[in-house]
Structures are given as C-alpha cells and as structure tokens.
Amino acid sequence: MNRIITIGREFGSGGRELGKRLSELLGYAYYDKEIIAEIAKRTQLAESYVQQIIEQKNGFFFPINVGRTLHPAAHASAGEYVMKQYATVYAEQANVLREMSEKSDCIIVGRCADYILREKKPLRLFVYADIDSRIERCKQKGYEGEALDDKKLRREILRVDKNRAKYYEYYTGRTWGDHSNYDLCINTSRISVKECAQMLSHMLSTESVHQ
Amino acid sequence: MNRIITIGREFGSGGRELGKRLSELLGYAYYDKEIIAEIAKRTQLAESYVQQIIEQKNGFFFPINVGRTLHPAAHASAGEYVMKQYATVYAEQANVLREMSEKSDCIIVGRCADYILREKKPLRLFVYADIDSRIERCKQKGYEGEALDDKKLRREILRVDKNRAKYYEYYTGRTWGDHSNYDLCINTSRISVKECAQMLSHMLSTESVHQ
C-alpha cells in the first residue's frame, strides 16, 4: 500500500508549504489544485465553479440550504440541481483522491482526504498557527493581491477557517481541528514549516510510522 | 533562559514515558512526582493528600463546591479550610514549577505547567492515543495492580481524563486538549513514544525551536 500523508490546516498557517517541502524531501507526489482540475474535467463543470464549491471561498452553504433557502432563484428544480452538483463534485473528489492514492506515495492537502482515505490509514497532519503569524504570512504571500489591513485580514482568515470547519463537519461528521482526528498537530508559530518538514522526513525515513 | 518542555497527556497515552525518554536523550531534568513531594514539604501536608488534590484521582471537586455543597461536614469553616488548602497547594505548585524551571533545562509532566510557565515560552506538547491503545498500555503497566476488565478500564481512563480536563480548565480558563494551547500534539497510537522522542530530540538539537 502506498504511503499517504494528508494535511488539514488553518488558513495562513503554511499547510501547503509543508506539503510541498515534504514532497521534495520524501519524493512523494503532491496533490493540491491538481485535484480541482481533475474534478472539473470529469464533471464537465468549469474549474472556477468546482473550486468555488470545494474551497467554499464565498461561504459554505449546506447544499440543502442552497437548494431551499439561499439560492437566488429559489425554486425546487434549481435547488435540486445545485444539490446534485455538490454531491457530484464531492463524489468525484472522493474518486480522484482514491485513484491518486493508488498511483503512488502522495501528499494531499485539504479535501477531507484524511476522512475519505481513512481505510488506507494515512498519516494525518493538522497545521495551525496563532492569528498574528497567519496575518503576517498572508501579507507576505500577497493574499488576494489587495492591501487588506490587519483587521480585515484577520476577519477574512477567520471566515475562511469557519467555512472549512463547516465543510469538513458536513461531509465527515467530525470536528475540524479536533486532535482526535489527526496523528500530529503542529503549531507553525513555534515550529517553522521548514523545521517541521525536516523533522517529519527524518522520522518517515524509517519504515515503522507508516502502517 | 532555560529550555522547558511541558507535557499534557491523556491518561494511558505514554506522556510520562515520553518525558523520561526525552530527558535521557536531551539531558534535561525530568520533573513529575518530585513536584508532589516538594509541595508536601513546603505546605506540611501529607504527600498522599497533596497527590489527591493535584491528581484529582477521586474526582475533581471545584474547591467552592467542596466548601459549600459536597463536603460531608458541610459547614462554613470546614469548607473554607478546604478551599484554602486547594489554593495553597496550587500556589505552591506554581512556585515549585517556576523554581525548577529556573534551575536548569527541564521537562515537566502535567500540573498545568504549560500555563503556569507560559511567560517562559515552553515547548508545549500534548500526547493522546485511541482508547484501545490506552487500555492496552494500562494493562501492561498493571494499572492499580488490579485485573480490571476492559470495560472497567475504559471507564476509569475516561474518568481520569474528565477530571484532568476539569482541573485544567478551572485553573487556567483554557480547554484541555485543545490544539491551540499546545505546540505539538502527538497521537501515540500512530507514532510510538520511542519514535516521537527520537524525532523531537533530533529537532531540538538545533537552536531555533526554543525561543
């Protein structure tokens, strides 16, 4: 069975960077935005639309709510259609993740991968950081290209987290960020992403941690 | 400033063992039951009584409850006396921890040390494991010397955790086990205590992780 590492993360805490570094150090495939492209291809939906659904950037709408209450054209058939699209995208996401995990050793960021691939017993990481570090990281990465002030950035960061949590909880029935759903939770305000990657690759170069 | 590692842990997950291993690998002092002995000496209370208060083995009674409601001889002066003892023990515990942390690099298990020593910016670990691993560990360690069946052991393990959580929350105002209160949370059902100790000592042999 291939080795799989999944990375759940608070927004702005460096989860993606950790995934990329681990991929370089360990030689595992790294899957992130490629997943969206693949889902779009299979569902014949636009990539941007798929991204909106699974990244919930504009707010997580429980499919049933979108169908019944919040959808602008809130009538039965439009609602049902949207609900079907959500279900289709999530189902394709699960298929794509399973296939990727069967191709090779891999690292997957987000996507409820820790849950979807749970029978393959991935090493499940969760990455977080204090809010000031996260604001700083977002500024450095030029988040959304705008010059958001710290107060607005803070609000945006917390909003994205909230949506991630709702999405995760809706699809998995579990609590996002609860340590019991992960094998290692790392505070990158204290242990830098670079140090964390080195520490983990050192540990994983022995056979025993992957079951 | 000395290097400090604090270890919070679910009962039966190997937190003590991790502390001892790290102490051997890193050469830091290791403080656990020694703290109880020191508090007993300073407060002139019996060690077993101090242990009962700070380990809450028989249930965590909020000092105010013990004073007013649950104490068998529930009248004002007895209640106030007990409340004073709790406060004295907790205050001495804080003093002892601070002094130990000023003596040398050290590892401290439990005792709300992550909170009490927060200004010294310790590396705060939290150790946990799935319930079956914890039952197994307790059986191997001969917990309480009795042959408890799995069902009773499970109940006992969860009871001890519940008391730890209440104690921690009462004295720190924080949520026990919440990742935001720690720098690294490790699932020892997945990453053995031995591997974890090696991984951490490798990481800590560079200067940067301790601030």
Side-chain angles (χ1 to χ4, degrees):
Chain A
M1 198 180 273
N2 289 324
R3 298 174 162 198
I4 305 164
I5 299 174
T6 62
I7 302 179
R9 73 275 184 243
E10 288 186 344
F11 185 64
S13 61
R16 287 202 152 110
E17 185 194 333
L18 178 62
K20 289 176 188 158
R21 284 184 180 270
L22 282 172
S23 171
E24 285 161 31
L25 287 167
L26 296 167
Y28 294 12
Y30 169 76
Y31 294 120
D32 189 355
K33 297 193 185 286
E34 298 80 355
I35 299 170
I36 291 172
E38 188 59 29
I39 296 168
K41 202 168 84 180
R42 296 181 189 205
T43 56
Q44 296 178 334
L45 292 166
E47 262 193 52
S48 56
Y49 184 55
V50 170
Q51 181 164 8
Q52 190 181 310
I53 291 177
I54 59 179
E55 292 197 352
Q56 295 298 316
K57 283 226 159 90
N58 296 321
F60 180 69
F61 299 114
F62 292 97
I64 197 169
N65 286 344
V66 174
R68 292 199 188 151
T69 313
L70 300 171
H71 197 272
H75 57 85
S77 59
E80 276 167 27
Y81 180 69
V82 169
M83 279 168 70
K84 268 196 184 145
Q85 282 189 325
Y86 271 78
T88 301
V89 166
Y90 186 75
E92 269 320 310
Q93 178 173 265
N95 291 334
V96 167
L97 290 181
R98 276 185 213 109
E99 288 171 33
M100 284 170 166
S101 72
E102 279 153 22
K103 260 198 204 166
S104 69
D105 295 339
C106 62
I107 296 161
I108 301 169
V109 178
R111 320 284 171 237
C112 304
D114 57 299
Y115 178 79
I116 289 169
L117 299 175
R118 63 198 182 283
E119 278 151 25
K120 297 177 187 284
K121 301 198 192 298
L123 180 66
R124 306 162 300 169
L125 310 182
F126 187 80
V127 181
Y128 57 100
D130 61 52
I131 190 70
D132 293 331
S133 304
R134 300 202 272 148
I135 289 170
E136 209 39 55
R137 178 180 281 271
C138 284
K139 277 156 68 166
Q140 282 170 18
K141 303 268 173 200
Y143 177 65
E144 300 215 315
E146 298 170 40
L148 287 178
D149 65 27
D150 284 15
K151 202 168 159 189
K152 285 188 178 143
L153 253 178
R154 170 187 286 259
R155 219 176 329 171
E156 177 64 5
I157 286 168
L158 296 175
R159 192 190 66 82
V160 172
D161 274 359
K162 196 170 171 186
N163 290 335
R164 279 185 187 174
K166 283 189 200 171
Y167 180 83
Y168 184 85
E169 283 152 29
Y170 181 79
Y171 284 110
T172 70
R174 297 176 176 182
T175 304
W176 183 74
D178 186 317
H179 68 250
S180 62
N181 297 322
Y182 309 93
D183 299 310
L184 203 61
C185 308
I186 307 121
N187 176 7
T188 58
S189 302
R190 185 57 192 263
I191 301 170
S192 73
V193 173
K194 184 178 178 186
E195 266 156 348
C196 180
Q198 284 166 345
M199 171 181 86
L200 284 170
S201 75
H202 175 83
M203 179 180 76
L204 292 169
S205 51
T206 60
E207 282 293 331
S208 49
V209 176
H210 280 286
Q211 296 178 1
Chain B
M1 199 180 271
N2 289 324
R3 300 175 162 199
I4 304 163
I5 299 174
T6 62
I7 303 179
R9 73 274 184 246
E10 288 187 343
F11 185 63
S13 60
R16 286 203 152 110
E17 187 193 334
L18 178 61
K20 288 177 190 159
R21 285 184 178 270
L22 281 173
S23 171
E24 284 160 30
L25 288 167
L26 295 167
Y28 295 12
Y30 170 76
Y31 295 120
D32 188 355
K33 298 194 184 286
E34 298 80 356
I35 299 170
I36 293 172
E38 188 58 29
I39 296 168
K41 202 167 86 182
R42 295 180 188 207
T43 57
Q44 295 179 334
L45 292 167
E47 262 191 53
S48 57
Y49 184 56
V50 169
Q51 182 163 7
Q52 190 180 308
I53 291 177
I54 61 177
E55 292 196 354
Q56 296 296 314
K57 283 227 160 87
N58 296 323
F60 180 69
F61 299 113
F62 291 98
I64 198 170
N65 285 345
V66 174
R68 291 196 188 154
T69 314
L70 300 172
H71 196 273
H75 57 85
S77 60
E80 275 167 26
Y81 181 69
V82 170
M83 279 169 70
K84 268 199 184 144
Q85 283 189 326
Y86 272 76
T88 302
V89 166
Y90 187 75
E92 268 320 311
Q93 178 173 264
N95 290 336
V96 167
L97 290 181
R98 278 186 210 108
E99 288 171 32
M100 285 170 164
S101 72
E102 278 153 24
K103 260 197 203 166
S104 68
D105 295 339
C106 61
I107 296 161
I108 300 170
V109 178
R111 320 283 172 237
C112 304
D114 57 300
Y115 177 80
I116 289 171
L117 299 175
R118 62 196 181 283
E119 279 152 21
K120 297 176 187 282
K121 303 198 190 297
L123 181 67
R124 306 162 300 169
L125 310 182
F126 187 80
V127 181
Y128 57 100
D130 60 52
I131 190 69
D132 293 328
S133 305
R134 301 202 272 149
I135 290 170
E136 209 39 55
R137 178 180 281 270
C138 285
K139 275 154 70 165
Q140 283 171 17
K141 303 269 172 197
Y143 177 66
E144 299 216 315
E146 299 170 40
L148 287 179
D149 66 28
D150 283 14
K151 202 167 157 186
K152 286 191 179 140
L153 253 178
R154 170 187 286 258
R155 219 176 328 171
E156 177 64 6
I157 286 168
L158 296 174
R159 192 189 65 82
V160 172
D161 274 358
K162 197 170 170 184
N163 290 335
R164 277 183 188 175
K166 284 190 200 170
Y167 180 83
Y168 184 85
E169 284 152 27
Y170 181 80
Y171 283 112
T172 71
R174 296 175 177 184
T175 304
W176 184 73
D178 186 318
H179 67 251
S180 62
N181 297 322
Y182 308 94
D183 300 310
L184 204 60
C185 308
I186 308 121
N187 175 5
T188 58
S189 302
R190 185 58 192 264
I191 300 170
S192 73
V193 173
K194 185 179 177 186
E195 266 157 344
C196 180
Q198 285 167 345
M199 170 182 87
L200 285 170
S201 75
H202 175 82
M203 180 181 76
L204 291 169
S205 52
T206 60
E207 281 293 331
S208 49
V209 177
H210 281 283
Q211 296 180 6

